[in-house]
Amino acid sequence: MLNFDEQRFLRIQSGAVALGPRLDAVIRACLDKGAENIFFLGTGGAAILMQPSVQLLQRRSRFPVFIDLAAELVVTGSANLTERSIVVIPSLSGTTKESVALLAKAKEIGATVLTLVGHQESPLGKGGDHAFVNFAEDDTSCESFYLQSLFIALSILRHRGEIDNYEPIVSELEKLPRLLLDVKRSYEDKAEGFARILAGSDYHIIAGAGNAWPEAFYYGMCILEEMQWIRTRPVHASDFFHGTLELVEKGVSVVLLKGEDSLRPLADRVQNFAPSYTDKLTVLDTAQFELPGISAEVRSLVSPIVLATVLERISAHLEVMRNHPLTTRRYYKRVAY
């Protein structure tokens, strides 16, 4: 595969899975001590990657779950953020300015802070009450963060008695790193074609629904905009028909990411509409990929992870095709802001 280290990928995703038992133990201890709610509070892309697990808890648990922008919460605070809160802060570098400020605020309040980082020797790596360290880089961090946050959500469901098949689900998740590698291999021959579509326009409408929506949002903002300087309009499939559809005409690129959860029909609606008005609809659907031994329930949970792993292959071809490395920045961590 183009510019890809298979063993490195397996090591990183297996590392995320290996954190599962400790994440479960920490969550149980927090609940046993009287935790009353949980906040997922990252910055930028890392925050977006928490959204599928927040969705899962919102729809399956009565345990209060909150997601907010770290920069805003540092300024405003929250009546719900107390010493009985669990705060999850993901940051690959462990140095993200807004998240470091949030860590200080959460610690001052007395909340229990779980940090998900790639580097132990960082402010977030050293400052969390419980630091979970799994080295990754930009091309492997999505799957790692998705998995870690999913383990947190499943643990809450487990210890509150809101799920009765925790162990079978975790057993299936343990198979995922190697299955994701197989997915990458199976898509490699098609990745260049998808990349060519992305390279062929300087503007894309990117849509998704359910737990596929955060990956659509993430890929548009953090990869195409930040790493490739391609303008995008990420829009949730349910909002597509309340404004964005008026921008659809011949020649406008619409990229649709489809997962396998119960919100899939919302993505179907976009797929049914767009071809009548544009000749540039491109669909990436997790249902097309084989995941042997993974049940329909778990496939629905890991749809954003599968999308992320396939989009990485597309990005690898895109940066070569455009002669624009994914590491190139003009402003991000280059100038003061």
Side-chain angles (χ1 to χ4, degrees):
M1 288 185 277
L2 177 67
N3 294 338
F4 185 73
D5 184 333
E6 294 189 2
Q7 292 307 308
R8 171 174 163 271
F9 176 80
L10 283 175
R11 184 170 61 253
I12 291 168
Q13 307 317 328
S14 297
V17 170
L19 291 173
R22 183 172 161 236
L23 285 162
D24 181 54
V26 168
I27 290 297
R28 178 175 183 174
C30 290
L31 295 175
D32 287 346
K33 290 179 181 178
E36 295 180 343
N37 57 42
I38 185 167
F39 281 75
F40 289 83
L41 298 172
T43 301
I48 296 170
L49 299 175
M50 300 294 103
Q51 291 184 18
S53 292
V54 172
Q55 290 179 11
L56 177 62
L57 287 172
Q58 288 174 334
R59 291 161 184 162
R60 296 284 298 274
S61 178
R62 295 182 67 86
F63 191 66
V65 57
F66 300 92
I67 190 166
D68 207 336
L69 298 172
E72 288 198 352
L73 197 59
V74 167
V75 175
T76 65
S78 168
N80 293 295
L81 181 57
T82 73
E83 71 279 0
R84 291 187 177 272
S85 297
I86 304 168
V87 175
V88 180
I89 306 178
S91 171
L92 185 59
S93 69
T95 63
T96 310
K97 180 179 179 180
E98 297 90 337
S99 294
V100 171
L102 177 66
L103 171 67
K105 188 176 188 72
K107 297 280 281 186
E108 179 182 348
I109 290 169
T112 299
V113 180
L114 282 62
T115 57
L116 314 179
V117 298
H119 303 277
Q120 177 73 63
E121 295 302 313
S122 64
L124 288 168
K126 294 188 291 186
D129 295 300
H130 305 277
F132 294 85
V133 184
N134 186 45
F135 173 79
E137 293 178 296
D138 286 339
D139 62 334
T140 51
S141 63
C142 286
E143 297 95 332
S144 177
F145 278 140
Y146 277 139
L147 281 165
Q148 292 176 64
S149 59
L150 178 57
F151 279 121
I152 291 170
L154 290 171
S155 181
I156 289 173
L157 293 172
R158 176 193 195 186
H159 296 299
R160 287 177 49 82
E162 294 170 324
I163 192 172
D164 58 8
N165 59 339
Y166 173 87
E167 288 84 1
I169 290 175
V170 168
S171 180
E172 290 186 39
L173 292 176
E174 289 171 350
K175 305 173 185 176
L176 203 59
R178 289 198 173 274
L179 292 176
L180 292 175
L181 182 56
D182 290 340
V183 167
K184 286 179 181 290
R185 290 169 176 161
S186 72
Y187 193 74
E188 183 68 14
D189 290 344
K190 300 178 181 178
E192 183 178 359
F194 200 117
R196 198 166 299 282
I197 292 170
L198 296 178
S201 175
D202 61 0
Y203 170 70
H204 302 275
I205 296 171
I206 302 182
N211 62 13
W213 158 243
E215 183 59 23
F217 183 17
Y218 176 91
Y219 194 73
M221 184 178 82
C222 297
I223 309 301
L224 294 186
E225 292 185 345
E226 178 186 323
M227 300 184 183
Q228 288 293 293
W229 307 346
I230 295 174
R231 293 172 177 82
T232 68
R233 169 62 166 102
V235 58
H236 194 287
S238 65
D239 289 330
F240 184 92
F241 295 95
H242 297 275
T244 304
L245 81 169
E246 290 295 336
L247 299 177
V248 179
E249 60 185 353
K250 185 176 181 180
V252 172
S253 172
V254 177
V255 177
L256 178 65
L257 305 187
K258 297 182 68 174
E260 297 171 63
D261 66 5
S262 61
L263 281 302
R264 183 179 173 90
L266 296 179
D268 290 337
R269 188 181 179 202
V270 175
Q271 187 171 3
N272 292 334
F273 170 87
S276 297
Y277 303 98
T278 180
D279 53 345
K280 291 187 176 181
L281 170 67
T282 310
V283 180
L284 184 60
D285 186 351
T286 63
Q288 75 183 88
F289 300 106
E290 295 184 6
L291 294 172
I294 303 300
S295 63
E297 179 182 8
V298 175
R299 285 187 69 106
S300 72
L301 293 175
V302 303
S303 290
I305 305 176
V306 175
L307 287 169
T309 217
V310 173
L311 285 164
E312 181 278 326
R313 287 291 76 215
I314 293 168
S315 298
H317 286 269
L318 184 62
E319 68 171 344
V320 172
M321 189 177 299
R322 301 184 72 240
N323 191 29
H324 186 123
L326 294 166
T327 53
T328 300
R329 303 288 189 279
R330 286 183 291 194
Y331 312 119
Y332 183 64
K333 295 186 177 180
R334 298 285 194 272
V335 301
Y337 52 82

